[in-house]
Amino acid sequence: MSLTYLGEWAMRFDFAVAALGTLIGAVGLWKKNLACLEFQRRSLMLSSTLVFAATGILVYAFFVNDFSIRYVASYSSINLPAGYRLAALWAGQEGSQLFWLFVLAVYSSAYMAVHRIERGDIHFHATGFVLLAVQLFFLIIVNVASDPYTRLDSPPPDGNGLNPLLQHPAMAIHPPMLYTGFVGMTVPFACAMGALITGRLDAAWIKKCRVWTIFSWTILAIGIMLGGRWAYDELGWGGYWAWDPVENASFIPWLTATAFLHSVMIQERRGMLKIWNMSLISLTFLLTIFGTYMTRSGVVASVHSFARQPLLGGIFLAFIGLTAVFAFGLIVWRYPALKAEHRIESFLSREAVFLFNNVVLLGLAFAVLFGTMFPTFFEMVKGTRISVGPQFFNQVTIPLFLALLILTGIGPTIAWRKSSPGQLLKNFLAPLLGAALAVGLLWAGGVNQPKALAGIGSVVFVLGCLLLEFIRDTRARQRSTKESFLPALVRLMGKNRRRYGGYIIHAGVAVTALGIIASSSYQVHREAELGPGQEMRIERFRLIMRGLTEGRLPNATWVRATVDVFDAEKNIGRIFAEKRLYEKTEQPHTETGLISRVFYDFYVVLAGWTAEGAAILHVYVNPLVSWVWLGGAVLAAGAVLCLWPGKS
Amino acid sequence: MKLRIVFGFMALLIWICLAGASVADDGNMVSDFMCPCPDLCGKALEVCECSDAAIYIKEIADFQAGGLSRTQIREKFVEKYGPTVLASPPARGFGLLAYVLPPLAVLAGAAIVVALARGWRRSQIAEVARPKPLGADLKKAEEWLNKWNSSK
């Protein structure tokens, strides 16, 4: 008997464990019975362990080429390099659902371990109950509608192989990061629901919830950024974001989680927006499930999505509906305890700016969701299908992103409760003048696209606001402690990590925005057919084609163009642009050639070749594109500072 | 007044960018289309790397070289490949909803926030306007308090 049967049985048995645990947990919460709640906690731990076993054994099946399992036969092959066998776990529908469950089980275990000293607290158990209920839902999915352990009557001698697009190192990191961020939103949702179930609506749940949200939000942001990097390196069109439904599905909950992270600060500081925050975190969780539904049910067409599965879609929709009724029902039930303690005193206050920031973020989330679903709505109403591509999303979201960018600068520098016109002038005059100067200089230098000017002006404004805030606060500390500037700055940030970590995150967003604006507005693209020794020019660069070579990988053949690049007369490097043909899938696949510099990327794609040995090249010069990922790194650094544990 | 500034600013921003996008004609027509390949890859033509994409891009370039306007090329492509070839919904009829609803939702959200905040402020002002205790009342209360403290 194969070891892989153990994985299958673990998955089946886990369904019973989670169902029983959820039922007993519900009784425990209803009767406030600690024995029942302890049973539920142990069920959650056992359920998670069984999920680890089921997932681990499926990975093992990939490594031992057990093609009796249909999923392994569909997404692996004997010649698939070992490093990519792990990536095959999330390459298809069934495995990706199991992987969702696996990440959730990791979170459930982590939550139980991190908060273990709260075992006597009913909120801890109520949170565990929600986590177990969500786990049960995904166990229903993998056992009933999307079974990764389905067996084949006659196993093939070899599998179909892995999609070549997934055979990239980033694919081993990007999907797990995305899942970790996406699934992580379950924990803050469970915390919030736990608070509503138990009526423990004090500041404790917010503190807990905020930390888990920042963690998941950061991981999701890094996952989205890595996805962009993978698309940039692998898809060969010179860009990194194509508004594909799966990209959108990960971005929408990130937007609502961002809104939550801002509005929850108002609740902490002023005791306001309690209902709003509960609704936002519920919405964020629902959007993660809806995003999974969108891409797993086949309701929208996407390069990443899987085949249409009505049963799976139906189960997802039922769960979304039930969860929405459960969450918003609890909010209505606890309405008297969720009333605000204070009111907004002025529109010139941080509370008001955060509220407008929430409106814009939710507007963006709505615009992206509506655009993604619009082909489905259109088909339902008009009977014909249309497409909604990057052109539409750029058109509708750019003004909202600009408004959001400006609020990113205003938010941290405006006072709580009320600001006077004098304070506003003091805070914003210099950044505004800086932005105006930057726009003037760019205009004089030939940058004349209104959107680019507005965007770069906004970035300078944001960075100016943040820089001034750092300088002002450090000087204030210097006055009281007599420290020199740098130690004062470091200690200031150490004393209030959350605040200054947040500012660094805002700076990261501004840097990323600068990269996006510059690279999307001023990308230069040329195509040419070059034989060995022939050259072409693009901007100030000169390319000399050296020749085409052929070679083999264990599971693919490749053709490679070798190109030397010169900036004026200085050789800045040699580029290898490849086209690969994978044997199993017979799909051509691009490996772009890249020279990355601080101010530009030189990006070459081998689009094809002629019988005479000439290469058909697509050449791009992408200004400031590496700043997109630099901003991501700054954002991650800010988040680490926020999450760094204090002495207390 | 401040309210008008906020709304004016948001409306202006939305108008500038939507208007700018709708009349943008930078010659890059490829971004107007999705890839209509028989495999139904579902990608935008400008990002598609399937083998047929180059043929469609060349077709657009040929139309442009032949002097056809943007609208004419779009019509020709829709005629040949169907309405899914366009990368944006038609800006008429039901398709118009896709363009109008997101900015309207933001404006409606902003209006709700402003209306709620104004209501809060009004109730706060009413609270502040409630009659305050007079100096004599306070003095009397202080005397009672002292008396009560000394009696303990």
Side-chain angles (χ1 to χ4, degrees), chain A residues 165 234-237 242 244 270 272-273 301-303 340 342-348 352 355-356 359-360 362-364 366-367 370 374 377-378 381-382 384-392 395-396 398-400 402-403 406 450-451 527 579 588-590 620, chain B residues 2-3 6 9-10 13-14 16-18 20-22 24 31-34 41-44 46-49 57 70 74 83-90 92-99 101-103 105-107 109-110 113-115 117-118 120-121 123-124:
Chain A
L165 285 175
E234 288 294 293
L235 298 184
W237 53 278
D244 179 85
R270 309 271 293 132
M272 296 160 64
L273 303 181
S302 155
V303 280
H342 294 98
R343 307 291 193 200
I344 279 196
E345 292 174 28
S346 165
F347 283 113
L348 296 179
L355 274 179
F356 283 113
V359 168
V360 177
L362 258 72
L364 267 169
F366 173 73
F370 190 63
F374 197 71
F377 297 148
F378 198 89
V381 174
K382 307 293 276 185
T384 52
R385 200 157 178 96
I386 56 156
S387 306
V388 175
Q391 193 186 40
F392 168 82
Q395 192 171 331
V396 171
I398 284 174
L400 296 175
L402 270 179
I406 293 165
K451 278 182 217 166
E527 293 172 25
K579 205 72 160 176
H589 175 67
T590 301
Y620 300 80
Chain B
K2 286 164 198 162
L3 182 66
V6 171
F9 174 72
M10 287 186 79
L13 206 62
I14 289 167
I16 286 172
C17 294
L18 283 181
S22 60
S31 61
D32 281 16
F33 300 108
M34 303 299 283
C41 70
K43 292 185 194 173
E46 63 183 330
V47 310
C48 188
E49 58 163 354
I57 292 169
R70 193 181 201 104
R74 286 167 68 96
T84 49
V85 77
L86 293 178
S88 300
R92 61 179 183 279
F94 186 69
L96 195 61
L97 210 61
Y99 296 92
L101 220 50
V106 174
L107 285 176
V113 165
V114 169
R118 277 187 152 184
W120 292 341
R121 286 175 68 205
S123 64
Q124 224 163 24

Side-chain angles (χ1 to χ4, degrees), chain A residues 494-577:
Chain A
K495 287 272 177 203
N496 199 342
R497 285 188 279 268
R498 186 177 157 196
R499 178 177 176 183
Y500 294 102
Y503 290 178
I504 292 171
I505 290 174
H506 279 212
V509 169
V511 171
T512 295
L514 183 62
I516 293 170
I517 294 160
S519 59
S520 59
S521 304
Y522 287 95
Q523 181 189 63
V524 181
H525 173 210
R526 274 198 63 192
E527 293 172 25
E529 192 178 305
L530 297 179
Q534 287 187 315
E535 62 177 65
M536 68 175 281
R537 283 187 178 274
I538 178 166
E539 293 283 283
R540 63 175 195 271
F541 302 99
R542 187 162 63 94
L543 270 84
I544 301 178
M545 167 73 183
R546 295 298 179 200
L548 282 172
T549 46
E550 289 179 42
R552 280 193 65 82
L553 289 170
N555 57 347
T557 55
W558 53 257
V559 175
R560 178 183 290 165
T562 305
V563 179
D564 283 330
V565 185
F566 296 83
D567 184 353
E569 288 313 310
K570 188 183 163 205
N571 188 338
I572 58 168
R574 173 164 281 191
I575 279 180
F576 303 103

Side-chain angles (χ1 to χ4, degrees), chain A residues 211-452:
Chain A
V211 172
W212 285 97
T213 313
I214 294 177
F215 178 78
S216 306
W217 178 90
T218 308
I219 299 288
L220 186 55
I222 296 170
I224 292 170
M225 292 268 185
L226 280 175
R229 183 72 216 192
W230 167 79
Y232 185 66
D233 285 348
E234 288 294 293
L235 298 184
W237 53 278
Y240 38 83
W241 187 262
W243 294 105
D244 179 85
V246 173
E247 291 173 337
N248 298 349
S250 62
F251 188 47
I252 296 165
W254 186 83
L255 289 169
T256 54
T258 311
F260 172 76
L261 284 172
H262 286 88
S263 65
V264 84
M265 273 191 260
I266 307 179
Q267 183 169 345
E268 283 179 274
R269 290 288 292 239
R270 309 271 293 132
M272 296 160 64
L273 303 181
K274 292 177 183 174
I275 298 171
W276 179 241
N277 285 327
M278 283 290 181
S279 307
L280 263 184
I281 201 65
S282 304
L283 182 68
T284 302
F285 172 69
L286 286 169
L287 284 168
T288 62
I289 301 292
F290 189 75
T292 312
Y293 158 73
M294 264 198 322
T295 52
R296 298 295 179 268
S297 66
V299 70
V300 293
S302 155
V303 280
H304 302 72
S305 67
F306 303 109
R308 194 179 275 261
Q309 291 205 7
L311 174 65
L312 190 70
I315 297 175
F316 264 105
L317 280 183
F319 180 69
I320 290 166
L322 279 174
T323 310
V325 169
F326 173 74
F328 292 104
L330 281 175
I331 292 171
V332 171
W333 182 43
R334 294 290 185 191
Y335 176 74
L338 293 171
K339 282 190 178 163
E341 292 158 27
H342 294 98
R343 307 291 193 200
I344 279 196
E345 292 174 28
S346 165
F347 283 113
L348 296 179
S349 63
R350 193 175 291 191
E351 297 93 303
V353 172
F354 279 9
L355 274 179
F356 283 113
N357 145 303
N358 267 229
V359 168
V360 177
L361 281 164
L362 258 72
L364 267 169
F366 173 73
V368 178
L369 181 63
F370 190 63
T372 310
M373 293 301 293
F374 197 71
T376 310
F377 297 148
F378 198 89
E379 194 175 11
M380 282 159 67
V381 174
K382 307 293 276 185
T384 52
R385 200 157 178 96
I386 56 156
S387 306
V388 175
Q391 193 186 40
F392 168 82
F393 287 106
N394 291 337
Q395 192 171 331
V396 171
T397 58
I398 284 174
L400 296 175
F401 277 122
L402 270 179
L404 191 63
L405 195 56
I406 293 165
L407 290 172
T408 305
I410 296 172
T413 41
I414 196 165
W416 289 99
R417 299 183 68 177
K418 195 173 185 177
S419 279
S420 66
Q423 281 174 316
L424 291 181
L425 197 69
K426 189 178 140 201
N427 289 350
F428 298 125
L429 184 64
L432 277 172
L433 287 174
L437 185 69
V439 169
L441 286 172
L442 287 169
W443 181 268
V447 175
N448 50 17
Q449 287 189 29
K451 278 182 217 166

